[in-house]
Amino acid sequence: MRQPWTVGVEQEFLLVDPESRRPVPLAESVQQHAGAVLDVQRELTPFQIEVATPVCESTDELFEQVLLGRTHLAKAAHAAGCRLMASSVPPIGTAGPPPGTDDRRYRLMEYSHRKMIGGSGVCGMHVHVGVPDRDTAVRISNALRPWLPTLLALSANSPIEQAEDTGYASWRSIVWSRWPISGPPPHLASAEEYDRVVAALEATEVLLDSGMVYWDVRPSANHPTVEVRVTDVPLTAREAVVIAELIRAFARTAAESDDAEPVDELLLRAAYWRASRDGVDGLAVDPRNGHLAPARELALELARWCAPALRDADALGTVEGHLEWLRGHGSGAARQRRAFGASPDARELVDLVVAETVDDAR
């Protein structure tokens, strides 16, 4: 049996046409070209594709697997006649409207949630951390609630849609917030209470099943993990690994700490909105006290709190180095926005993102 505090990552990507740079519904073909070498899955729309790493022990192993997933899918996309892009929304065109993925469950979602499905082809990253039990997963979820906006800000990578600047660093998070069970989870006392709440939501038919619990952190339905799903898909493999290691270190630290106190729901909602708009390059709302602070300072505070666990995973230097790197280079959203501002042709922005998707710089 594996020890807790392992880590695995699911990354969602857009598929775009190499000429128009618009999303193309070729996920089935890309999956066929990818073969069975890696865990490749189709998503809500045929404009998207997902790859999951195996369970990883070390930071080096995680980086190798994150980059392998990206390069393997990029080759499969090329073979299918499209390109792989790590942006949470398409800079040109939209990932919709349906047809959605030809799957019975997705068809039921189209029926039950209707027009909301259109344009919901947005891409995130889901981080799984191995935990001893589901009660520990809920304790970690409670502790992570005030830090979810900081993780969103660090990952923000979706500022441009339909060749226009949305004014938001993470437009994906705004689009995704339309789902009825999304955003931060409630503060819960135990896994048993989590199950009761989910069962009640299923009884109302707002959920088709427990897989539609789209809260930004939750006990996994299928694995002995806590799953954190608040982030945009990061622009580069390095950023994906930094965020995943920060989440893993937080989970281990929170599991060994006192139970977290609930934070004010309105302040948490305000912090989410501010993180969506300004990302890590602006000011942030600290939901613990309602004060404004530079988002990077909150990210540094988070890293400091997790420092012993990061050091144990040999990831402290990687995380601290990246947070310093952000000062000079900015988030994925800032880099996308700079590229878009440098040229009125959004196709050049798409080309940049496609190239950065498989950049192996560390």
Side-chain angles (χ1 to χ4, degrees):
M1 181 180 294
R2 286 185 180 271
Q3 296 298 314
W5 320 123
T6 54
V7 62
V9 170
E10 299 167 357
Q11 301 174 91
E12 299 167 350
F13 301 96
L14 291 166
L15 301 170
V16 296
D17 181 82
E19 298 299 327
S20 71
R21 279 70 159 190
R22 291 176 175 271
V24 287
L26 292 176
E28 183 176 3
S29 179
V30 172
Q31 186 180 38
Q32 289 172 353
H33 281 93
V37 177
L38 299 177
D39 183 4
V40 175
Q41 303 291 334
R42 286 183 283 166
E43 263 298 321
L44 183 62
T45 77
F47 307 94
Q48 300 167 276
I49 197 78
E50 177 188 280
V51 64
T53 70
V55 176
C56 297
E57 303 278 354
S58 70
T59 305
D60 286 344
E61 182 187 9
L62 181 62
F63 182 84
E64 178 183 330
Q65 292 298 327
V66 166
L67 186 59
L68 175 64
R70 288 176 174 232
T71 54
H72 185 75
L73 272 190
K75 291 175 182 177
H78 198 279
C82 58
R83 301 293 182 266
L84 189 76
M85 182 171 70
S87 179
S88 287
V89 301
I92 303 175
T94 60
T101 296
D102 188 14
D103 174 273
R104 180 178 180 274
R105 182 170 180 272
Y106 288 148
R107 294 300 182 194
L108 286 172
M109 289 169 66
E110 288 177 5
Y111 172 76
S112 65
H113 290 75
R114 305 178 186 183
K115 189 175 176 62
M116 193 174 72
I117 296 291
S120 289
V122 296
C123 296
M125 180 176 75
H126 305 163
V127 178
H128 288 263
V129 178
V131 294
D133 52 64
R134 295 179 74 246
D135 280 328
T136 301
V138 170
R139 289 186 66 231
I140 293 167
S141 172
N142 290 339
L144 192 55
R145 291 173 77 244
W147 295 105
L148 290 168
T150 298
L151 293 172
L152 172 60
L154 278 171
S155 73
N157 186 38
S158 49
I160 312 299
E161 186 186 48
Q162 300 192 62
E164 292 184 358
D165 192 328
T166 66
Y168 284 77
S170 173
W171 187 242
R172 175 204 63 89
S173 61
I174 299 298
V175 172
W176 196 248
S177 68
R178 298 181 301 183
W179 288 94
I181 308 301
S182 62
H187 190 283
L188 299 167
S190 64
E192 183 181 2
E193 183 179 9
Y194 174 91
D195 291 339
R196 284 200 303 269
V197 170
V198 171
L201 292 170
E202 288 186 62
T204 69
E205 299 184 357
V206 72
L207 302 178
L208 298 181
D209 52 48
S210 62
M212 282 188 69
V213 178
Y214 293 147
W215 285 323
D216 286 335
V217 54
R218 66 184 186 183
S220 173
N222 303 310
H223 307 285
T225 65
V226 60
E227 180 184 6
V228 181
R229 42 191 297 127
V230 67
T231 67
D232 282 11
V233 62
L235 183 53
T236 65
R238 177 186 62 187
E239 288 165 295
V241 170
V242 164
I243 291 168
E245 287 292 0
L246 195 53
I247 289 170
R248 172 162 66 160
F250 184 96
R252 184 170 185 174
T253 305
E256 298 170 355
S257 303
D258 294 335
D259 289 342
E261 293 294 326
V263 294
D264 184 271
E265 297 293 335
L266 290 177
L267 288 178
L268 186 55
R269 182 175 176 181
Y272 259 80
W273 176 81
R274 190 83 191 216
S276 298
R277 194 190 73 174
D278 294 350
V280 75
D281 303 296
L283 293 176
V285 175
D286 186 339
R288 297 169 299 175
N289 55 32
H291 297 163
L292 283 173
R296 284 195 199 91
E297 287 188 7
L298 289 181
L300 286 168
E301 182 182 346
L302 178 59
R304 284 193 295 267
W305 191 68
C306 300
L310 286 169
R311 192 177 293 110
D312 283 349
D314 199 23
L316 182 59
T318 300
V319 171
E320 290 181 338
H322 179 68
L323 294 179
E324 182 60 33
W325 182 89
L326 284 174
R327 292 183 181 277
H329 296 82
S331 64
R335 279 135 54 208
Q336 280 205 42
R337 189 169 275 137
R338 281 201 304 272
F340 184 65
S343 171
D345 188 347
R347 291 178 297 178
E348 294 185 18
L349 165 60
V350 172
D351 292 342
L352 170 72
V353 176
V354 167
E356 289 285 304
T357 297
V358 293
D359 179 17
D360 64 354
R362 299 186 74 175

